[in-house]
């Protein structure tokens, strides 16, 4: 617990209290407690835009970081962020909240890639009880025939303001769940490890791919298309190496378990080579060239 009546460094629990639409197989409630295989939220087919999702926290919070992981096929072109507070003596309801617009982020058009893009937004301790996300129309994708948008995971990190939450209670704003409010969720690179399992790669390989994908996006925005093409090729090779490495590591462990040490030795040479190639690719990105 931090000072000044705050619980700090938490992944803040929330409830989706409004969504403009949802697909039957991907309701917004999937965002409450996401699992490795959770599809997250997806809009209904052929929706009107923007699609809005409103999250309610269990009291007053101060948000430091917002992380949004987009669907790999239903990729939004843009995401607008607003925060809301409830006026004095009003019920704790998003419909009575006063919202302040903070800005927007863009998601890259990933073409036919299967990697999901995460946007990290630093909000620097902004105070609120509600968070509204307005999702713009999707980028085109061969597997998005119905013009849907989707979000796989939302992570909100920050502090619980117990003093302000107590004031809300005293002003008659009941319904605040302090047990949930103070419990939180430990932060342990949630998105990296979730994506690693989904993509069949180790966490280190996923971190490398993300770094290069972010550089590729910067190159696209700068209209440096030669650099974007170069980085796209590196992402593809890193992804291939990362998956082969994860498979070889698993087979090596199986060989050790069955005492097939010759096979384990051969697989160690394979994994060492793949790790070296990943390092070479990453070094090449930093130097601006890859052999």
């Amino acid at each position: 617990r931090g000072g000044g009546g705050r619980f700090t460094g938490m992944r803040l629990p929330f409830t989706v209290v409004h969504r403009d639409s949802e697909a039957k197989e991907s309701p917004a409630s999937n965002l409450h407690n996401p699992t490795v295989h959770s599809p997250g939220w997806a809009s209904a087919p052929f929706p009107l835009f923007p699609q809005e999702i409103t999250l309610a926290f269990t009291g007053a919070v101060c948000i430091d970081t917002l992380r949004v992981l987009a669907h790999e096929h239903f990729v939004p072109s843009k995401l607008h962020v607003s925060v809301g507070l409830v006026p004095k003596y009003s019920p704790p309801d998003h419909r009575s909240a006063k919202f302040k617009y903070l800005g927007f982020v863009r998601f890259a058009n990933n073409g036919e890639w299967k990697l999901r893009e995460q946007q990290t937004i630093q909000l620097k301790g902004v105070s609120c009880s509600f968070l509204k996300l307005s999702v713009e129309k999707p980028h085109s994708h061969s597997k998005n025939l119905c013009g849907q948008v989707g979000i796989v995971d939302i992570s909100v990190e920050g502090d619980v303001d117990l003093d302000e939450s107590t004031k809300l209670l005293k002003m008659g704003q009941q319904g605040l769940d302090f047990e949930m409010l103070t419990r939180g969720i430990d932060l342990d690179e949630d998105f990296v490890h979730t994506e690693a399992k989904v993509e069949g790669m180790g966490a280190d390989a996923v971190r490398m791919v993300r770094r290069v994908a972010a550089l590729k996006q910067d190159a696209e925005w700068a209209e440096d298309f030669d650099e974007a093409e170069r980085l796209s090729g590196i992402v593809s090779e890193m992804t291939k190496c990362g998956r082969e490495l994860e498979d070889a590591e698993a087979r090596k462990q199986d060989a050790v378990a069955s005492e097939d040490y010759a096979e384990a030795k051969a697989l160690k040479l394979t994994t060492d080579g793949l790790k070296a190639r990943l390092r070479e690719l990453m070094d090449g990105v930093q130097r601006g060239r890859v052999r």
Side-chain angles (χ1 to χ4, degrees):
R1 175 174 174 169
R6 290 185 177 178
F7 279 82
T8 60
M10 304 170 66
R11 176 167 174 171
L12 300 168
F14 60 79
T15 301
V16 177
V17 292
H18 172 80
R19 74 277 184 259
D20 282 345
S21 74
E22 61 186 22
K24 183 177 180 180
E25 65 278 9
S26 299
S29 58
N30 284 344
L31 298 171
H32 294 161
N33 295 291
T35 65
V36 172
H37 301 294
S38 172
W41 164 81
S43 69
F46 306 109
L48 298 175
F49 291 102
Q51 286 282 294
E52 289 189 352
I53 300 180
T54 303
L55 316 181
F57 303 101
T58 50
V61 300
C62 299
I63 301 176
D64 295 321
T65 307
L66 169 65
R67 305 181 198 275
V68 180
L69 184 64
H71 193 280
E72 65 270 28
H73 303 147
F74 306 156
V75 185
S77 57
K78 188 185 295 186
L79 180 78
H80 300 268
V81 180
S82 302
V83 292
L85 289 168
V86 178
K88 288 184 178 181
Y89 308 110
S90 298
D93 191 302
H94 69 96
R95 288 166 291 192
S96 60
K98 302 295 183 183
F99 283 90
K100 177 182 178 181
Y101 179 69
L102 299 182
F104 67 89
V105 293
R106 298 180 188 274
F107 287 89
N109 186 348
N110 66 6
E112 296 305 306
W113 288 7
K114 293 182 180 179
L115 289 176
R116 296 165 173 170
E117 180 184 357
Q118 175 184 284
Q119 284 286 359
T120 300
I121 307 162
Q122 301 298 333
L123 297 182
K124 301 180 180 179
V126 64
S127 297
C128 66
S129 294
F130 299 96
L131 178 70
K132 182 189 293 182
L133 304 178
S134 298
V135 187
E136 295 282 4
K137 64 183 180 179
H139 291 295
S140 61
H141 194 286
S142 62
K143 294 187 178 180
N144 187 7
L145 302 179
C146 299
Q148 294 167 271
V149 288
I151 294 174
V152 175
D153 200 0
I154 299 172
S155 172
V156 186
E157 301 162 16
D159 305 344
V160 174
D161 190 334
L162 294 180
D163 292 339
E164 187 62 29
S165 295
T166 301
K167 290 178 185 177
L168 293 177
L169 281 172
K170 289 180 178 178
M171 289 189 298
Q173 294 177 341
Q174 303 298 321
L176 303 180
D177 181 354
F178 278 93
E179 181 181 357
M180 183 180 179
L181 187 68
T182 57
R183 184 176 69 240
I185 300 171
D186 290 339
L187 299 175
D188 186 29
E189 294 189 274
D190 298 348
F191 284 104
V192 169
H193 291 280
T194 296
E195 188 172 332
K197 292 179 181 178
V198 171
E199 298 297 338
M201 294 190 287
D204 288 341
V206 168
R207 292 188 192 98
M208 291 183 185
V209 169
R210 284 184 170 187
R211 287 177 62 186
V212 181
L215 292 172
K216 183 192 78 73
Q217 180 177 309
D218 290 343
E220 288 176 350
W221 288 349
E223 297 188 352
D224 186 348
F225 299 121
D226 288 338
E227 178 68 358
E229 183 177 11
R230 183 182 77 88
L231 294 171
S232 176
I234 295 172
V235 167
S236 297
E237 185 171 355
M238 277 186 166
T239 300
K240 180 175 180 290
C241 284
R243 289 172 176 163
E244 290 177 356
L245 175 59
E246 190 74 355
D247 177 69
E249 289 283 10
R251 289 191 288 122
K252 182 177 69 176
Q253 293 302 318
D254 289 343
V256 171
S258 61
E259 299 186 359
D260 186 350
Y261 299 118
E263 177 68 6
K265 182 178 179 180
L267 287 166
K268 184 179 184 302
L269 292 174
T270 299
T271 59
D272 288 347
L274 290 166
K275 289 175 183 177
R277 181 53 180 162
L278 283 169
R279 288 193 296 269
E280 181 183 15
L281 288 166
M282 196 70 243
D283 290 344
V285 169
Q286 296 166 350
R287 294 194 306 268
R289 56 185 174 81
V290 176
R291 292 192 300 272

